Amino acid sequence: YQATYGKPCTVLMNVPYYTPASFHPTPPNRIRLIHHGAAMPGRNLEILIETLALTKPAFELHFMLTQSDTRYFNRLQKMAEKKTPGRVFFHPTVPLAEIVNTINQYDIGIHLLPAHNFNNANALPNKFFEFMMAGLAVAIGPSPAMARIVTDYRCGVVSPDFCPQTMAQTLNELTPEQIDRMKHQALQAAKVFNYEREREQLKMIVTEL
């Protein structure tokens, strides 16, 4: 905005209220991935199913999706049954305020958002911060804004690209002990990326106006 329009701006992140979450050790024989959000073709959720098909049998993928596009949602279910029978699960959605407590039972929050456009390339989606607030390790592609936070806080892994093969390899190399360390780091990051802190920045902006 500064370069294009000559307007200074501040980024307010789409972070949840701070919710203390409990730590759960990662079972070595059942590592559960979670992705929540809208079932929309532009989200490329097929990549997550293709990724799971290439991971070790210990991995499961859980979806909690709003059916924004019923045909697409049904297509994902059929794809999962064909490519990864018995390893992909679809769960009912919960109210926004219950997301963090609901996903706390899982181990890794996964989100692959190929940079097809400017928005995707610079995305900092609410699910990313909800993963951390819930005390999950985070698995993402090389989305710059998200990758910077994951790297700085050591709360997850960043795949070198958005290909299923690469993410699957990244996940397969993880040990339960490594995932647990990332979970602990995510809980620490949640103390920074929460609405209580972000609200203070909003107040400053309004006060300056």
Side-chain angles (χ1 to χ4, degrees):
Y1 278 96
Q2 179 70 55
T4 306
Y5 303 110
K7 298 290 184 182
C9 72
T10 302
V11 174
L12 290 172
M13 291 178 284
N14 194 359
V15 290
Y17 285 98
Y18 182 72
T19 305
S22 55
F23 167 77
H24 303 290
T26 305
N29 298 320
R30 191 186 182 205
I31 303 172
R32 297 188 293 174
L33 307 168
I34 178 71
H35 178 94
H36 65 280
M40 299 167 58
R43 299 288 175 89
N44 298 285
L45 300 181
E46 299 91 339
I47 298 177
L48 301 184
I49 297 173
E50 291 169 0
T51 295
L52 187 80
L54 299 170
T55 59
K56 297 174 182 177
F59 286 95
E60 297 177 354
L61 175 61
H62 295 256
F63 281 120
M64 192 167 68
L65 304 173
T66 58
Q67 296 189 39
S68 304
D69 185 322
T70 303
R71 291 178 61 186
Y72 179 63
F73 181 84
N74 293 338
R75 193 159 77 239
L76 289 174
Q77 287 185 310
K78 290 178 182 177
M79 179 183 179
E81 291 169 6
K82 181 179 180 180
K83 285 185 169 285
T84 54
R87 295 178 63 202
V88 177
F89 304 87
F90 292 82
H91 302 280
T93 57
V94 298
L96 187 66
E98 297 176 18
I99 289 176
V100 170
N101 286 331
T102 301
I103 67 174
N104 172 250
Q105 64 185 293
Y106 300 99
D107 301 299
I108 300 174
I110 186 167
H111 186 40
L112 285 172
L113 188 65
H116 295 323
N117 54 44
F118 182 88
N119 248 20
N120 282 11
N122 295 278
L124 271 175
N126 57 298
K127 65 173 62 65
F128 173 70
F129 297 109
E130 288 159 349
F131 291 157
M132 293 187 289
M133 188 64 68
L136 309 184
V138 180
I140 58 167
S143 303
M146 286 188 276
R148 191 179 309 116
I149 292 174
V150 169
T151 301
D152 287 349
Y153 288 86
R154 306 190 307 280
C155 59
V157 291
V158 180
S159 178
D161 57 43
F162 296 100
C163 296
Q165 296 83 353
T166 314
M167 176 55 85
Q169 181 180 349
T170 300
L171 293 172
N172 285 333
E173 291 174 354
L174 292 175
T175 65
E177 293 75 21
Q178 288 174 318
I179 297 171
D180 285 348
R181 285 196 292 271
M182 294 171 188
K183 287 180 175 181
H184 282 298
Q185 289 297 120
L187 290 172
Q188 293 304 310
K191 296 176 181 178
V192 177
F193 298 102
N194 58 70
Y195 180 67
E196 284 79 357
R197 288 184 61 133
E198 205 69 2
R199 178 174 55 197
E200 296 309 309
Q201 184 168 225
L202 178 58
K203 287 181 180 178
M204 288 175 57
I205 295 170
V206 175
T207 300
E208 288 173 3
L209 290 174

